[in-house]
Amino acid sequence: KRATYARVVADYRPQKADPYRVRITVGGDRIEYDFDCYTPSADLTTAKLLLNSVVSTDGAKFLGIDIKDFYLNTVLDDYQYMRIPAAYVTQAIRDQYNLHNMIINGYIYLEIQKGMYGLPQAGKIAHELLLQNLAPHGYFPCARTPGLWKHTYRDTKFVLCVDDFGVKYITQDDADHLVHSIQQHYHATVDWKG
């Protein structure tokens, strides 16, 4: 396989605890992946319908859940490769991991074994893992509405947009059940809107 490039992404997110963000993502346009990468994610219409349903249902409340590093650390079935300019790697990291002999023509080559931002298949793998993790708790995606999930008997519905959940619930017990089900498998932050 051919190694793709590393892309440095710098961002300022004032709502985060540490607003200055720098991360390396994978140059996904050069990844050779021959399988389907479709990931069912809620569109704007589905999200709006859920919010309208919260407003128009007596006693309904809204909850926001964000899964930290949702796409990361998922195991890839087909390893990928990337090269990083050696100048991006500090001397301390080079020393710690003994990378000096691994620099070839100014680059360090990596084998990617787990999900990273930029991989075309990362969303699909994360979605399949979410399905596997939430199914034992009774949550499943609706068959005809991408990104909309329900529970087998609880009156809880949520839309999934990338790694953010917008949840409609009626009772606190239902909300707690979903939060607990997610937090058994992921590090998630919860924003109670009431």
Side-chain angles (χ1 to χ4, degrees), residues 37-51:
C37 294
Y38 171 73
T39 306
S41 186
D43 61 11
L44 186 59
T45 302
T46 304
K48 283 182 175 181
L49 287 170
L50 182 80
L51 289 171

Side-chain angles (χ1 to χ4, degrees), residues 1-2 4 26-39 75-81 112 118-126 128:
K1 288 187 179 180
R2 231 185 248 177
T4 189
V26 177
D29 60 329
R30 300 229 179 117
I31 293 291
E32 297 172 13
Y33 188 73
D34 298 329
F35 304 99
D36 180 26
C37 294
Y38 171 73
T39 306
V75 179
L76 299 181
D77 55 354
D78 184 29
Y79 294 166
Q80 300 296 329
Y81 300 89
I112 303 170
L119 287 173
Q121 67 269 40
K124 181 177 182 181
I125 295 169
E128 289 172 353

Side-chain angles (χ1 to χ4, degrees), residues 50 83 100 120 160 165:
L50 182 80
R83 66 183 197 165
H100 305 288
L160 177 60
F165 294 72

Side-chain angles (χ1 to χ4, degrees), residues 60-171:
K61 295 178 183 173
F62 183 80
L63 165 66
I65 303 174
D66 177 47
I67 295 181
K68 183 178 179 178
D69 301 334
F70 183 55
Y71 282 43
L72 306 180
N73 288 324
T74 54
V75 179
L76 299 181
D77 55 354
D78 184 29
Y79 294 166
Q80 300 296 329
Y81 300 89
M82 178 172 67
R83 66 183 197 165
I84 298 177
Y88 289 5
V89 181
T90 65
Q91 189 64 43
I93 297 295
R94 289 184 202 183
D95 293 341
Q96 182 178 353
Y97 293 100
N98 196 21
L99 299 177
H100 305 288
N101 296 332
M102 298 180 160
I103 298 173
I104 302 168
N105 295 330
Y107 290 95
I108 298 172
Y109 288 79
L110 310 170
E111 181 177 71
I112 303 170
Q113 299 180 359
K114 294 188 176 186
M116 287 181 69
Y117 297 114
L119 287 173
Q121 67 269 40
K124 181 177 182 181
I125 295 169
H127 183 268
E128 289 172 353
L129 186 59
L130 180 70
L131 183 63
Q132 176 185 323
N133 289 338
L134 292 186
H137 303 282
Y139 297 95
F140 63 96
C142 295
R144 292 181 176 79
T145 309
L148 181 65
W149 291 60
K150 294 175 20 176
H151 190 269
T152 51
Y153 63 88
R154 293 177 182 272
D155 195 15
T156 306
K157 293 177 182 62
F158 65 86
V159 292
L160 177 60
C161 298
V162 185
D163 63 350
D164 295 312
F165 294 72
V167 183
K168 174 191 173 186
Y169 68 98
I170 305 294
T171 68

